[in-house]
Amino acid sequence: TTNAAAPVSIDITFPEPAEVDLIALFPVALINNNNQLAPRGFPKRFYIERQLMDGSYETVVDHRHAEYRLDSVAPHPMALVYLA
């Protein structure tokens, strides 16, 4: 058996096609035992893809093969990589 959580999928649908120039993820934070705000509940491995006008998908952020380093509670802008 494994303790890995089941994958979670989040879909964001715009009312009409739109260009996305920035994606920023905000980590969940808590007050730790040292009474400091600390990050918690952020995905260690994830990817973000967009749906193209023809219905196909393109990966624009990919952290599936290495854990994403999280060292603060600040927003984390994702550098978008367009493969087209």
Side-chain angles (χ1 to χ4, degrees), residues 15-71:
E16 58 188 48
E19 275 193 40
V20 175
D21 56 358
L22 174 72
I23 296 173
L25 300 180
F26 292 77
V28 172
L30 61 83
I31 302 294
N32 64 18
N33 292 338
N34 296 326
N35 205 29
Q36 296 175 331
L37 198 57
R40 180 175 171 88
F42 198 79
K44 292 182 179 180
R45 295 182 186 220
F46 62 94
Y47 69 100
I48 300 172
E49 60 185 10
R50 67 180 182 146
Q51 186 175 16
L52 303 175
M53 295 298 289
D54 66 4
S56 64
Y57 291 87
E58 175 182 47
T59 300
V60 294
V61 175
D62 193 346
H63 291 284
R64 289 179 280 188
H65 305 292
E67 291 188 0
Y68 183 75
R69 182 171 167 77
L70 180 64
D71 52 11

